[in-house]
Amino acid sequence: MAPLDEPSPANEPPLAVEVLRDRLAPIVAAAAFVGFVDGVVRLLGVDPGLFLLQLDRFGLVGTLELGLPSAGEVLRRLLAVAQASFHYALIGAVIGLVAGGLASVARRALGRPWAGSTVVRRTAAARAVGLWAAVAIYWWTRPVVYPGLSATDPRRLVAAAVILVVGVLVGAVALRLTRPFARRVGVVSAVLAAAGGLVTVFAIGAGAERGRIGERNADMPNVLLVIVDALRQDTLSAYGDEEVHTPHIDRLAEEGVLFESAFAQAPFTWPSFGSFLTGKVPRRHGLLRMEPGVQFPVNATLPVLLKSGVRADGVELEERDWITGAFMTGTLSHGSRLLVGFDAYLEALVGHDLVDVHDPWSEFRSGLLPWLVLNKLSQKSDRHLVTTTAERWIRQHSDRRFMALVHLYSTHTPYDPAPEFRARHLDPAYDGPFDSFVASHREAIEDGEYEPTEADVRRIRRLYLAGVEQADAMIGRLVATLSEEGILDDTIVIVSSDHGESLGEHGLWEHNWMYQDNLRIPLVMRFPSGLGSGARVGSIVDSIDVLPTVLDLTGIEAPESASVVEDALVARDGAIDPRSRRLWSAIDGTSLVPLARGEADAVREHTFSENGLFLSVQDARWKLIVRRELVRPGAWGAFLATPEGLEPPRLFDLESDPAELRNLFDPEDPEALATAERLFAALAAQLERLPIRDDQIQSGGRDLRAEAIFQSLGYGGGVGESDDDRDGQ
């Protein structure tokens, strides 16, 4: 006779009872349990993907951020774990109702004998845990199992099938191991899920009202800052390019002001974004490398200064007077601290959906598996998810005072424009290997494994240009959103880039080079009531000028130093000794409003840029590129006697040689020597004013690779050959 809890086939429970008791309940309990596990992993700060990646590359341990949180932080995290169990249980309920119902109906339709409720429950729970384990293993092994391949690639599909089997086995083993105390696990999971449900209910609508229009912010404009990663200035029709159609940027330039000689302070992303957001050069804001684990030092960023500034009439702003959001596509992340001060952020690259930093659950859930997978699937269905999310956020806050930073990526590798932007630029007769252009292609070219043909170079460039038009279309969508909400003329719209891009010039690809195609960036601003319209400014401006310009247009007094705000941040975060802040808290940029209005002719004579290997200085005509080891105040003699193994200085006449093909530096030429000495003196004086010395700078991994590339190309460790050098070899 069958046990009482295991009905015989002749005495099966009603279908509804079977689904709810024997299939739904165990799946919900199992889901709550795995939610607890995923929540604990998130609580500890373990990134399994990075862990596996470190093991794969270096045989080292992975990333583990334990620290010593405060009691309040511990409670907040535990409540977030409870919420994870609750939300997982909800997901399990949906899966259980659908899958459990279908399984029960199918079993009865096929006339399969009843297995007993205990067996059914164990099987349902094992399958639920196994499914989660399979998805988790698949997700976290992506960096090491066929990285870079499409999810539909046959190799990835085979790997996914193997992982599914492994996941089911893991689920079965997990259930067998926990069987002795399964009842206690179920009770704990149920209690956690219930507690998480209560926390979720009470948290709804508990957020502060940020950005509401009031007396302090009523007369201020909104701010939309769009940074298109790796966008060359010379590939926009507003700057004279005839191949590309960029009507939306053209219109912004016609209705605003276009800066013809705008420059980035670094030819790669993190330091350049640091300069946009702080108004400081990299040697003052302190972010000089781009590597895992490197973090932005405590700085008063633009959103922080907007919330803590003082208006021209002496009224002090409060944090609630602005709401700020950052919508990021590439390697920028909240973990790097570059987004400190933003109330909401989207990190598309790592799979995080829109996070509200004032909602502990919102931030916590962004690293949980279901939301990571869901966000990645959303990106697959909407290739313009960053723009879509930014549009939705702007519409939700159009009645508030807001700042939005939107980071677009279609001009950065991979050059893989959406289908609607390919047709106009790509030659259908091309039969080469580049349907897209990714980082591994660039590495193969740099390592000499592949020599691109002229057709290949044209193809890569056309892919890039299609990406330019895609970025312009996304900018058009954002501007249209402002217009539809009736706030376009009340919003400062700024379009720029963190750096340009090399497309085979000088034998180089992508960025982190010191040539004009990397350093010269577009800069277009639209705010008719504050800037006028239709102006084109030819004098030198820099990315560090964006912050003081925004402060000027919003009526906030630009501080000579951000030390007071930064000291408050340090006191709050406990990150850096406040006494050291005074040395590097000055703001280097200058408001461009007088230039735009025709009230000034220039804001500076020289622009300075650097990467991990080189420094550059240029004026309206001349440019000098030197190894950073050669620049010391008063060390002109050492500069001339370049040590063996270091590339000698490069001097270019940008007026007659805009492509920088002829190095004019010659110690035997008095005119060239005098020009180089003048630029060297300006560069040395600039470094003397900055707190971070050359001997404090460490080269990063990308710098070491660049050094190897230079050597392999026969450049002697430098910035690349000129045509004259090649002719001489």
Side-chain angles (χ1 to χ4, degrees):
M1 179 179 293
L4 292 178
D5 65 338
E6 296 183 3
S8 65
N11 191 30
E12 290 185 356
L15 179 62
V17 173
E18 179 186 339
V19 172
L20 294 176
R21 185 191 69 183
D22 298 333
R23 297 190 185 276
L24 177 62
I27 290 176
V28 170
F33 170 70
V34 297
F36 167 74
V37 174
D38 199 10
V40 169
V41 171
R42 177 82 170 109
L43 180 148
L44 294 176
V46 180
D47 186 332
L50 286 179
F51 183 89
L52 291 171
L53 187 61
Q54 295 282 29
L55 288 176
D56 178 61
R57 290 183 176 178
F58 310 111
L60 303 174
V61 296
T63 299
L64 183 64
E65 301 172 1
L66 290 174
L68 294 174
S70 64
E73 179 66 13
V74 169
L75 178 60
R76 184 186 72 82
R77 293 185 181 186
L78 289 176
L79 291 175
V81 172
Q83 286 183 278
S85 289
F86 170 70
H87 284 83
Y88 261 87
L90 290 180
I91 296 171
V94 174
I95 294 174
L97 283 173
V98 175
L102 292 175
S104 294
V105 170
R107 182 188 64 77
R108 297 189 180 212
L110 295 173
R112 295 182 59 184
W114 176 252
S117 62
T118 300
V119 175
V120 172
R121 290 172 187 171
R122 289 175 181 173
T123 303
R127 287 173 178 170
V129 175
L131 176 62
W132 175 80
V135 174
I137 294 169
Y138 180 81
W139 180 265
W140 298 123
T141 56
R142 291 178 310 136
V144 294
V145 179
Y146 296 122
L149 294 182
S150 166
T152 58
D153 186 280
R155 289 166 291 180
R156 286 290 294 274
L157 293 176
V158 171
V162 173
I163 288 170
L164 178 61
V165 173
V166 172
V168 172
L169 293 176
V170 169
V173 171
L175 265 294
R176 182 172 294 277
L177 292 176
T178 58
R179 188 177 299 169
F181 47 93
R183 190 176 299 276
R184 277 171 283 179
V185 170
V187 171
V188 171
S189 298
V191 171
L192 276 172
L198 290 174
V199 173
T200 301
V201 170
F202 283 109
I204 294 174
E209 289 291 321
R210 296 176 179 273
R212 287 296 183 191
I213 304 298
E215 293 182 4
R216 289 186 300 272
N217 62 9
D219 296 331
M220 292 181 172
N222 305 309
V223 180
L224 172 62
L225 173 58
V226 183
I227 305 295
V228 185
D229 207 304
L231 176 61
R232 290 171 61 130
Q233 186 197 90
D234 61 359
T235 58
L236 296 173
S237 51
Y239 285 89
D241 187 279
E242 297 181 354
E243 290 184 279
V244 181
H245 296 165
T246 51
H248 303 292
I249 297 177
D250 292 353
R251 182 179 176 184
L252 289 174
E254 292 168 0
E255 298 176 353
V257 55
L258 179 146
F259 296 91
E260 298 174 335
S261 300
F263 294 91
Q265 271 52 76
F268 58 110
T269 300
W270 287 11
S272 186
F273 263 85
S275 292
F276 273 113
L277 292 172
T278 65
K280 303 175 184 180
V281 297
R283 290 207 191 198
R284 197 181 303 280
H285 65 59
L287 187 60
L288 297 166
R289 290 189 295 144
M290 240 181 99
E291 292 183 350
V294 174
Q295 288 192 327
F296 195 31
V298 175
N299 278 279
T301 59
L302 179 55
V304 171
L305 290 173
L306 288 174
K307 298 175 185 178
S308 59
V310 179
R311 295 188 341 190
D313 58 6
V315 174
E316 295 183 5
L317 296 171
E318 298 179 6
E319 184 170 341
R320 63 180 178 176
D321 290 328
W322 285 81
I323 187 165
T324 55
F327 307 88
M328 318 310 296
T329 311
T331 58
L332 291 181
S333 70
H334 194 260
S336 69
R337 295 185 61 89
L338 269 166
L339 303 183
V340 168
F342 285 98
D343 299 302
Y345 62 87
L346 171 73
E347 298 173 295
L349 183 67
V350 293
H352 291 172
D353 60 354
L354 187 62
V355 172
D356 179 354
V357 301
H358 307 290
D359 178 357
W361 167 242
S362 174
E363 195 160 21
F364 192 85
R365 80 176 183 204
S366 67
L368 296 176
L369 188 62
W371 285 270
L372 290 170
V373 174
L374 179 62
N375 196 52
K376 279 297 182 182
L377 292 176
S378 298
Q379 291 181 52
K380 294 292 184 182
S381 62
D382 181 2
R383 294 189 57 164
H384 312 305
L385 182 65
V386 169
T387 304
T388 301
T389 306
E391 286 179 295
R392 184 167 59 247
W393 186 88
I394 289 172
R395 292 186 192 279
Q396 291 171 348
H397 301 94
S398 61
D399 61 342
R400 305 192 193 184
R401 188 62 62 232
F402 69 82
M403 174 201 166
L405 168 63
V406 182
H407 178 210
L408 301 179
Y409 213 63
S410 59
T411 49
H412 190 289
T413 50
Y415 306 155
D416 186 21
E420 60 266 34
F421 301 100
R422 286 173 165 259
R424 209 179 72 79
H425 284 283
L426 301 189
D427 182 0
Y430 173 77
D431 60 355
F434 299 114
D435 184 58
S436 62
F437 184 71
V438 301
S440 60
H441 294 149
R442 183 255 304 164
E443 292 172 357
I445 294 173
E446 292 173 345
D447 295 339
E449 298 173 2
Y450 183 80
E451 181 69 29
T453 65
E454 291 185 7
D456 291 334
V457 174
R458 284 196 302 272
R459 175 72 168 196
I460 296 169
R461 179 178 176 83
R462 304 305 294 187
L463 285 165
Y464 178 85
L465 296 182
V468 173
E469 294 193 355
Q470 180 172 325
D472 180 74
M474 297 306 102
I475 291 168
R477 283 176 48 175
L478 294 169
V479 173
T481 299
L482 296 175
S483 181
E484 291 164 8
E485 294 297 316
I487 56 174
L488 176 58
D489 287 342
D490 297 323
T491 302
I492 305 166
V493 180
I494 302 173
V495 175
S496 190
S497 178
D498 53 346
H499 52 75
E501 191 85 335
S502 292
L503 298 172
E505 297 91 349
H506 303 92
L508 302 173
W509 299 90
E510 290 196 80
H511 46 270
N512 198 26
W513 318 115
M514 300 304 293
Y515 285 113
Q516 297 294 83
D517 53 35
N518 272 225
L519 298 181
R520 202 176 190 109
I521 57 175
L523 181 58
V524 176
M525 298 183 180
R526 183 194 188 278
F527 185 52
S529 64
L531 295 171
S533 59
R536 297 180 72 95
V537 176
S539 56
I540 289 175
V541 301
D542 286 333
S543 59
I544 54 176
D545 299 326
V546 167
L547 178 141
T549 302
V550 170
L551 294 181
D552 193 355
L553 291 172
T554 54
I556 297 174
E557 292 287 344
E560 295 182 5
S561 167
S563 61
V564 175
V565 175
E566 289 165 357
D567 287 349
L569 292 172
V570 170
R572 185 191 69 188
D573 297 344
I576 302 175
D577 183 349
R579 292 170 296 181
S580 68
R581 304 294 309 162
R582 309 289 177 180
L583 299 175
W584 47 298
S585 59
I587 293 176
D588 298 298
T590 302
S591 172
L592 302 180
V593 172
L595 273 180
R597 293 175 176 173
E599 299 168 359
D601 295 327
V603 295
R604 61 178 52 84
E605 183 180 357
H606 299 97
T607 179
F608 305 94
S609 303
E610 67 176 301
N611 60 11
L613 299 173
F614 291 90
L615 300 166
S616 76
V617 53
Q618 59 182 295
D619 57 23
R621 177 178 176 181
W622 295 93
K623 178 178 179 181
L624 181 68
I625 305 175
V626 298
R627 287 289 296 231
R628 59 182 176 83
E629 299 94 329
L630 299 179
V631 183
R632 298 285 189 280
W636 175 244
F639 175 78
L640 292 178
T642 304
E644 185 176 352
L646 292 182
E647 182 183 2
R650 298 248 165 180
L651 178 67
F652 298 108
D653 182 352
L654 300 174
E655 187 176 284
S656 62
D657 179 28
E660 299 164 282
L661 299 176
R662 298 185 298 277
N663 180 16
L664 300 180
F665 183 80
D666 181 0
E668 305 300 323
D669 182 341
E671 184 176 348
L673 197 61
T675 300
E677 185 173 12
R678 175 176 57 81
L679 294 174
F680 174 87
L683 182 56
Q686 166 74 354
L687 297 185
E688 185 75 4
R689 292 189 290 267
L690 299 176
I692 300 178
R693 302 187 309 273
D694 181 76
D695 59 5
Q696 295 175 304
I697 298 175
Q698 296 180 347
S699 296
R702 65 187 298 124
D703 301 315
L704 298 177
R705 177 168 179 81
E707 185 79 81
I709 293 169
F710 293 144
Q711 296 286 355
S712 69
L713 294 174
Y715 294 170
V719 295
E721 290 182 297
S722 68
D723 285 355
D724 292 342
D725 294 333
R726 293 179 181 179
D727 291 342
Q729 289 186 350

